């Protein structure tokens, strides 16, 4: 059950990795040229897009589980929301990691990885024994959030060391969207038995995406056309998603 739910939850990884595969070299080039505000602006847009994808997946999680696994897997729907939300924090820590990689401060990445891995092992040991496999989704979420926060701290130190900047991202906006997304996903989970309410919310999300679809596509295309992609598959993934939105 957990395996199916986890697989569904990490569907966002596909789009996430395609974005980062293209956004990372673009970020490196702008760091080299000192064009920090452009990085901040694009990062804000991308965070919104990833947050909307996570929110959309959370809204229809029970239906996806039922379609792919049937009634006996329905309990796994409770794992999808925290796993999908952890993908958002995975994307977030990737943004901060870019700074550490660019300035070759890889020791901080190693420190954060080891510490968070140990935390994950300890949390899984205690909470899975007490609450079952569903706890694994929430421990994963917590660890990714800690990982993102640790890289926020490390990247700030690296930036102050190598530049005069404290941050190249709007950290207040990052905190706001992280909190709002967490609250929205938590609220949606309490509504899993209220099918009508969830469908209404899903229609609202679709309506918002449709209303602002041109702005989203224009923003993405402005970055999309200027990027040298690491692979054709990444470019095709972005092209496919932009086509769907348009």
């Amino acid at each position: 059950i957990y395996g199916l739910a986890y697989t569904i939850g990490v569907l966002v990884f596909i789009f996430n990795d395609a974005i980062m595969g293209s956004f990372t070299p673009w970020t490196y080039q702008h760091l080299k040229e000192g064009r920090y505000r452009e990085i901040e602006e694009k990062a804000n847009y991308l965070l919104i897009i990833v947050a909307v994808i996570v929110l959309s997946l959370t809204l229809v999680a029970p239906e996806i589980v039922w379609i792919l696994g049937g009634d006996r897997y329905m309990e796994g729907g409770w794992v999808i929301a925290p796993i999908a939300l952890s993908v958002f924090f995975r994307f977030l820590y990737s943004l901060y990691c870019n700074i550490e990689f660019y300035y070759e401060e890889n020791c901080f990445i190693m420190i954060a990885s080891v510490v968070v891995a140990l935390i994950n092992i300890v949390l899984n040991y205690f909470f899975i024994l007490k609450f079952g496999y569903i706890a694994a989704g929430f421990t994963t979420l917590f660890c990714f959030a800690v990982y993102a926060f640790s890289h926020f701290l490390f990247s700030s130190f690296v930036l102050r060391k190598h530049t005069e900047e404290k941050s190249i991202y709007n950290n207040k906006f990052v905190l706001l969207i992280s909190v709002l997304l967490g609250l929205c996903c938590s609220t949606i989970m309490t509504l899993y038995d209220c099918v009508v309410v969830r469908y209404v919310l899903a229609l609202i999300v679709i309506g918002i995406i449709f209303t602002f679809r041109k702005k989203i596509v224009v923003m993405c295309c402005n970055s999309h056309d200027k990027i040298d992609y690491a692979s054709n598959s990444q470019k095709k993934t972005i092209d496919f998603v932009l086509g769907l939105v348009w």
Side-chain angles (χ1 to χ4, degrees):
I1 296 177
Y2 179 80
L4 175 64
Y6 186 87
T7 301
I8 296 171
V10 298
L11 286 175
V12 191
F13 277 141
I14 299 173
F15 187 69
N16 185 344
D17 289 345
I19 291 177
M20 290 311 303
S22 56
F23 187 66
T24 296
W26 185 88
T27 300
Y28 289 169
Q29 183 62 36
H30 281 64
L31 282 171
K32 181 179 180 180
E33 298 171 359
R35 297 160 65 183
Y36 305 124
R37 297 287 72 82
E38 291 184 34
I39 298 176
E40 176 189 316
E41 180 183 350
K42 291 295 187 293
N44 288 346
Y45 282 124
L46 293 176
L47 282 170
I48 292 173
I49 292 174
V50 174
V52 170
I53 293 173
V54 169
L55 190 63
S56 302
L57 181 61
T58 304
L59 277 169
V60 295
E63 285 73 24
I64 296 177
V65 172
W66 182 79
I67 291 172
L68 297 180
D71 292 334
R72 65 194 184 99
Y73 285 93
M74 288 301 292
E75 185 181 352
W78 294 97
V79 182
I80 294 179
I83 292 298
L85 190 54
S86 70
V87 175
F88 173 82
F89 286 105
R90 181 178 185 269
F91 178 78
L92 186 56
Y93 87 67
S94 297
L95 293 180
Y96 291 113
C97 270
N98 283 342
I99 300 171
E100 298 164 47
F101 277 125
Y102 177 78
Y103 291 107
E104 299 182 347
E105 299 281 3
N106 299 336
C107 62
F108 294 114
I109 298 173
M110 181 186 67
I111 293 171
S113 299
V114 171
V115 171
V116 171
L118 291 174
I119 293 174
N120 190 41
I121 292 172
V122 172
L123 290 178
N124 282 339
Y125 177 78
F126 288 103
F127 286 98
I128 291 179
L129 286 176
K130 188 172 182 179
F131 299 104
Y133 70 88
I134 293 179
F138 291 92
T139 58
T140 299
L141 169 59
F142 177 79
C143 288
F144 271 115
V146 171
Y147 200 44
F149 180 71
S150 65
H151 282 297
F152 155 70
L153 296 177
F154 290 145
S155 65
S156 297
F157 173 79
V158 170
L159 274 175
R160 287 195 297 268
K161 178 180 177 181
H162 293 276
T163 71
E164 297 180 356
E165 299 289 324
K166 294 182 179 179
S167 179
I168 62 172
Y169 302 117
N170 186 339
N171 293 319
K172 291 182 179 179
F173 177 80
V174 170
L175 177 61
L176 176 63
I177 194 171
S178 300
V179 172
L180 287 178
L181 182 61
L183 291 174
C184 288
C185 289
S186 300
T187 302
I188 291 171
M189 289 181 67
T190 65
L191 299 174
Y192 274 173
D193 294 328
C194 304
V195 179
V196 176
V197 176
R198 284 192 296 106
Y199 284 2
V200 170
L201 292 174
L203 289 174
I204 292 174
V205 172
I206 293 172
I208 293 173
I209 295 174
F210 182 80
T211 302
F212 295 100
R213 70 190 187 284
K214 291 186 178 180
K215 290 185 178 181
I216 294 172
V217 172
V218 169
M219 182 278 298
C220 290
C221 287
N222 286 340
S223 299
H224 179 56
D225 294 338
K226 298 176 183 178
I227 291 169
D228 293 326
Y229 287 85
S231 67
N232 288 331
S233 62
Q234 292 173 348
K235 187 176 187 301
K236 289 179 180 179
T237 301
I238 298 295
D239 284 334
F240 175 71
V241 174
L242 291 178
L244 289 179
V245 174
W246 183 260

